[in-house]
Amino acid sequence: MKNRLFMLSIIVLTVACKNETKEQNSKTSMAVDYSETKKVDTVDTYFGTKVKDPYRWLEDDRSEETGKWVAAQNKTTFGYLENIPFREDLKKRLSDLWNYEKVGSPFKEGDYTYFYKNNGLQNQFVIYRFKNEGDEPEVFLDPNTFSKDGTTSLAGASFSKNGKLLAYSISEGGSDWRKVIIKNVETNEIVEDTIIDVKFSGMSWKGNEGFYYSSYDKPKGSELSAKTDQHKLYYHKLGTPQKEDQLIFGGTPEEKHRYVGGSVTEDDRFLIISGSVSTSGNKLFIKDLTKPNSSLITILNEPNSDSYIIENVGSKLYIVTNLNAPNQKIVTVDAANPTPENWKDFIPETENVLSPNTGGGYFFAEYMVDAVSKVLQYDYDGKLIREIELPGVGSANGFGSKKEEKELYYSFTNYKTPGTIYKYDIEKGDSKIYYKPKIDFNPDNYESKQVFYTSKDGTKVPMIITHKKGIELNGKNPTILYGYGGFNISLTPSFSIANAVWMEQGGIYAVPNLRGGGEYGKKWHNAGTKMQKQNVFDDFIAAAEFLIAKKYTSSDYLAIRGGSNGGLLVGATMTQRPDLMKVALPAVGVLDMLRYHTFTAGAGWAYDYGTAEDNKEMFDYLKGYSPVHNVKEGVQYPATLVTTGDHDDRVVPAHSFKFAAELQAKQTGDNPTLIRIETNAGHGSGNVTKTMDLYVDIFSFTLHNMGYEVLPEKVNNKVKG
């Protein structure tokens, strides 16, 4: 509109687009014929209060009836999505942008240097290797060959100390249950039988003789939904059958540990064992592997902190802990007397949250400063060597290597910058670009800025807003507000191909750092747990209100999105404030807060949520926000696309099934309430094809329900003339 010579034609086009938008809004009320979901008369009683659960039958993931319901819902959902006119245009753009080479940081194991690479649209990353600099890399392990449809993925890889053997785990259909395969790296031959029924586990080698791993006993009933709450640590010795694997820790009826992990120090001297009842807090133990039949030494016998051993020099241990240090610190102690009264500060706590790593004989202390990275290098005496100069404002990850290495690699990214790998000279402190992706996206055309807004109780909350430069703040920009807010997890800036496509269309992407996360340490986490969980929803609602007040968007152009605990966030927000957004996108959400702890490892989430069995006050609080129990008759909820996977055995799909059924039964008005159930997919684990298809459907649904019949970029170009 700046060119006055074309003012008349622009006015004509603007009027035409306004008329087109009115026509679009009338078209988006696409009729949806939901298949009726039967109700049952199941009633639970909590502290004298009766609670109906009419869709309890959908919890049986093995029943034929549930399978038919899933098929019927998918038929309705995909029938709706396939009628969105610009869906194929969006799919082509996403596929084109996704199709660039992606390379991971190299790492040395034995005689080889390895790295992960994806040519562009491969479903899984491939592991390559070479012996000497300048050699042509060869394919070492290609997970794309694991299954015909690409749904079996590489879930973890661990090399023996001499690098001659590899133990790698695979996930089938996205399940958290794994199989472990052992391979000779020289001959590429599988060396023994596959280890099965492994879950929530790494593999940590003791020399070259065997490795430690963790798992649960196979549950009675469905392995995808039955409760698992007794985690155990095993040692597998090469050349012996799995049934002879030694139980190292866990399994005593009087003391349950829902999460157990074991790792061996780099020098092979100590086995470190962590035992947790919930996702927050752990006990810590150590065993001297150089002494036959040595006993387990207790470092922490109460799970009232998050503590782990990051390094050792002989018997001197370096422990990362938030015990009496909510933002974490590193302490030192001798392994002979390792309890807290003997700890000495090595890198003290600061006002920023610490996430350290080690490499090349140094400590690298990464700090989050308002969710943005700052990295300091220390020697083993605790002397500050330097602050590492990062390429910009964003997230730096890596800074880890073996002690003898002279160089290490780290990656840098933010919401508008694709991840770039840097090689770092450990002694000199110099960084240089090792790998920069060649992608059809220009970060210079976009801006990303951090704002601070005020939540309901006066708390200041940061949020990063990213979009094309020069957008008009007129309240009409399609916006996705994404959040998580739980489990001490921090949302730091990172690039997403899918979000790049969203922003290309003129979309805004906003991410607030809600309470319940870890951006400001344990206090920030605790402020969003149990009886304070409403703080998280209030923070999210306040973020939406900020975006609307500042005219980034309006309720007609706002979508809220989150997955897992973030799915709960979306479900609670949309049931509390259905007027606030046009579209709601809860993914693999924890949506039944009265029964979440009865499935798989859900009982371990009680630190964040509490359970309905704790006491009447906790039950009333959970019932007060549980999305499944707060869908009301006579309310117009936003257009909703619930997404889940049929093999999600972390947050079982029954949460999403029941929530969708409630919405479909009670929704008032024409906004669609659909559920998209991915087959052979789990809790976010999937392949590139399935991931792209999911984003195409999410963005298509979102834009269509905001009134678009063509992609926003085409409308904008038409208006610009």
Side-chain angles (χ1 to χ4, degrees):
M1 296 186 187
K2 292 179 180 178
N3 192 332
R4 296 178 183 176
L5 294 174
F6 294 99
M7 182 60 72
L8 181 59
S9 61
I10 289 298
I11 291 172
V12 171
L13 280 174
T14 303
V15 171
C17 284
K18 286 182 178 177
N19 291 335
E20 185 180 56
T21 301
K22 289 179 182 178
E23 186 180 349
Q24 289 167 8
N25 285 324
S26 67
K27 286 180 181 178
T28 55
S29 299
M30 201 185 293
V32 181
D33 183 19
Y34 304 109
S35 56
E36 187 174 348
T37 303
K38 80 167 186 180
K39 296 183 179 181
V40 295
D41 57 2
T42 304
V43 176
D44 295 316
T45 302
Y46 301 85
F47 303 99
T49 300
K50 294 184 182 300
V51 179
K52 293 181 179 180
D53 194 358
Y55 304 113
R56 176 73 61 85
W57 63 275
L58 287 170
E59 292 179 2
D60 187 354
D61 55 90
R62 298 181 299 173
S63 79
E64 182 180 351
E65 196 173 19
T66 301
K68 288 180 178 178
W69 184 88
V70 167
Q73 291 289 332
N74 271 344
K75 182 178 179 181
T76 298
T77 297
F78 286 106
Y80 179 98
L81 295 170
E82 286 162 4
N83 278 313
I84 296 175
F86 54 79
R87 187 167 176 249
E88 288 304 312
D89 290 342
L90 196 56
K91 185 173 185 177
K92 183 179 186 308
R93 179 54 189 149
L94 187 60
S95 178
D96 288 347
L97 188 59
W98 207 295
N99 193 13
Y100 70 93
E101 185 179 82
K102 306 161 193 72
V103 175
S105 299
F107 55 96
K108 293 181 180 179
E109 298 289 351
D111 296 331
Y112 292 92
T113 296
Y114 296 85
F115 62 94
Y116 289 81
K117 186 176 84 168
N118 189 306
N119 290 336
L121 297 178
Q122 289 176 291
N123 279 318
Q124 310 289 345
F125 274 73
V126 178
I127 301 181
Y128 289 79
R129 70 178 182 182
F130 58 86
K131 273 193 173 180
N132 303 300
E133 287 287 343
D135 289 353
E136 183 68 25
E138 64 177 3
V139 173
F140 170 63
L141 186 64
D142 184 359
N144 295 289
T145 64
F146 291 173
S147 62
K148 289 183 179 179
D149 62 358
T151 59
T152 299
S153 60
L154 179 65
S158 178
F159 288 85
S160 61
K161 291 295 165 76
N162 62 11
K164 295 185 181 300
L165 294 169
L166 168 69
Y168 66 94
S169 61
I170 62 172
S171 167
E172 296 169 309
S175 171
D176 281 330
W177 289 102
R178 313 292 200 219
K179 293 177 179 176
V180 176
I181 299 164
I182 302 157
K183 182 178 183 178
N184 183 308
V185 305
E186 292 294 347
T187 64
N188 276 329
E189 293 177 335
I190 306 302
V191 299
E192 58 178 61
D193 292 340
T194 297
I195 295 174
I196 62 172
D197 297 337
V198 176
K199 190 172 185 178
F200 295 156
S201 177
M203 295 84 67
S204 186
W205 286 83
K206 176 186 175 184
N208 311 297
E209 308 157 7
F211 56 86
Y212 297 90
Y213 68 93
S214 305
S215 195
Y216 304 90
D217 294 333
K218 213 57 175 295
K220 296 177 181 178
S222 169
E223 69 174 45
L224 294 179
S225 59
K227 191 172 184 177
T228 51
D229 65 351
Q230 182 67 289
H231 216 200
K232 303 174 184 179
L233 179 67
Y234 294 92
Y235 176 70
H236 175 72
K237 185 175 182 178
L238 294 185
T240 63
Q242 184 179 1
K243 64 182 180 181
E244 295 180 9
D245 288 355
Q246 182 183 359
L247 176 63
I248 303 297
F249 184 85
T252 55
E254 65 275 8
E255 188 177 30
K256 287 186 176 182
H257 294 93
R258 295 190 177 96
Y259 310 104
V260 171
S263 61
V264 180
T265 55
E266 189 177 332
D267 62 3
D268 248 358
R269 177 165 178 177
F270 294 109
L271 169 65
I272 303 159
I273 298 175
S274 172
S276 304
V277 177
S278 72
T279 51
S280 184
N282 66 285
K283 300 177 183 179
L284 191 62
F285 309 91
I286 193 169
K287 180 181 175 67
D288 192 335
L289 296 177
T290 65
K291 299 176 181 178
N293 303 316
S294 61
S295 58
L296 206 60
I297 297 174
T298 300
I299 299 176
L300 290 165
N301 201 33
E302 295 295 331
N304 55 0
S305 70
D306 300 286
S307 303
Y308 62 94
I309 296 173
I310 187 174
E311 179 64 289
N312 73 295
V313 177
S315 65
K316 185 178 183 180
L317 308 178
Y318 295 81
I319 301 174
V320 181
T321 184
N322 61 12
L323 183 65
N324 301 319
N327 292 338
Q328 294 204 142
K329 63 181 179 179
I330 302 178
V331 299
T332 60
V333 72
D334 191 271
N337 297 288
T339 48
E341 63 268 20
N342 300 309
W343 291 0
K344 295 180 180 178
D345 281 3
F346 174 66
I347 297 179
E349 182 189 22
T350 71
E351 62 181 4
N352 299 309
V353 180
L354 170 67
S355 299
N357 210 336
T358 62
Y362 291 91
F363 285 84
F364 294 88
E366 180 192 342
Y367 291 96
M368 276 188 294
V369 183
D370 296 327
V372 173
S373 292
K374 173 182 178 180
V375 183
L376 304 179
Q377 182 177 347
Y378 290 88
D379 67 17
Y380 273 51
D381 293 321
K383 177 186 175 184
L384 175 63
I385 303 302
R386 63 178 65 90
E387 178 178 347
I388 295 170
E389 186 177 347
L390 298 177
V393 177
S395 302
N397 295 291
F399 295 102
S401 73
K402 293 183 172 65
K403 282 184 180 178
E404 67 272 14
E405 301 296 339
K406 302 299 182 186
E407 298 170 325
L408 55 73
Y409 299 84
Y410 68 91
S411 63
F412 179 83
T413 183
N414 55 38
Y415 289 119
K416 66 185 184 72
T417 306
T420 300
I421 298 172
Y422 291 81
K423 179 188 283 189
Y424 179 75
D425 186 306
I426 296 171
E427 291 295 335
K428 295 179 180 178
D430 297 332
S431 294
K432 62 180 180 180
I433 292 176
Y434 175 80
Y435 177 79
K436 185 176 183 178
K438 297 176 181 177
I439 178 175
D440 183 21
F441 179 83
N442 186 358
D444 293 339
N445 295 335
Y446 297 81
E447 61 180 289
S448 191
K449 68 177 181 179
Q450 187 173 62
V451 299
F452 289 82
Y453 65 91
T454 304
S455 191
K456 183 178 180 179
D457 64 356
T459 300
K460 292 291 185 182
V461 181
M463 174 166 59
I464 296 180
I465 306 170
T466 311
H467 52 75
K468 272 186 177 178
K469 289 180 178 177
I471 65 165
E472 186 179 352
L473 300 185
N474 58 8
K476 295 182 179 180
N477 299 299
T479 299
I480 289 178
L481 177 65
Y482 181 88
Y484 188 79
F487 295 92
N488 207 35
I489 291 172
S490 304
L491 296 186
T492 56
S494 64
F495 182 76
S496 159
I497 302 167
N499 291 336
V501 171
W502 174 259
M503 292 188 295
E504 279 185 339
Q505 300 304 316
I508 292 173
Y509 186 68
V511 182
N513 297 110
L514 313 172
R515 280 174 284 185
E519 291 87 351
Y520 294 103
K522 198 64 179 176
K523 290 180 180 178
W524 193 254
H525 173 209
N526 287 339
T529 61
K530 292 189 176 74
M531 302 292 287
Q532 299 186 89
K533 189 65 179 176
Q534 184 61 39
N535 286 338
V536 185
F537 314 141
D538 290 342
D539 289 355
F540 201 51
I541 290 167
E545 291 174 336
F546 176 90
L547 293 169
I548 292 168
K550 298 297 183 181
K551 294 192 179 298
Y552 284 97
T553 191
S554 62
S555 293
D556 286 337
Y557 293 93
L558 177 65
I560 59 172
R561 182 166 180 257
S564 195
N565 174 74
L568 163 62
L569 172 69
V570 172
T573 302
M574 66 178 282
T575 50
Q576 291 181 16
R577 288 292 306 276
D579 60 305
L580 194 57
M581 74 294 299
K582 184 65 178 177
V583 178
L585 303 164
V588 294
V590 187
L591 299 161
D592 183 343
M593 299 309 296
L594 301 187
R595 286 181 55 75
Y596 77 87
H597 59 291
T598 65
F599 304 111
T600 61
W605 311 336
Y607 182 94
D608 267 58
Y609 300 145
T611 75
E613 277 87 29
D614 288 350
N615 51 59
K616 187 177 187 305
E617 186 182 23
M618 194 72 250
F619 156 70
D620 288 338
Y621 193 85
L622 288 167
K623 186 174 181 292
Y625 75 78
S626 175
V628 164
H629 300 92
N630 283 279
V631 180
K632 297 177 174 63
E633 299 274 7
V635 175
Q636 178 164 305
Y637 292 100
T640 304
L641 181 62
V642 181
T643 55
T644 188
D646 67 348
H647 276 59
D648 189 346
D649 47 2
R650 199 173 310 172
V651 180
V652 296
H655 285 275
S656 296
F657 294 174
K658 292 162 76 171
F659 187 55
E662 289 283 354
L663 285 170
Q664 290 176 2
K666 296 175 180 176
Q667 171 74 296
T668 295
D670 296 326
N671 288 337
T673 52
L674 303 173
I675 181 168
R676 183 189 189 278
I677 306 152
E678 187 67 77
T679 56
N680 282 322
H683 195 70
S685 299
N687 59 30
V688 166
T689 302
K690 286 180 179 289
T691 301
M692 286 196 301
D693 288 345
L694 175 63
Y695 275 112
V696 167
D697 290 342
I698 287 172
F699 292 163
S700 296
F701 180 88
T702 299
L703 292 170
H704 181 69
N705 281 283
M706 289 176 177
Y708 292 96
E709 284 297 302
V710 296
L711 288 175
E713 184 62 17
K714 290 188 176 181
V715 174
N716 293 338
N717 287 339
K718 188 175 181 181
V719 171
K720 291 173 186 175

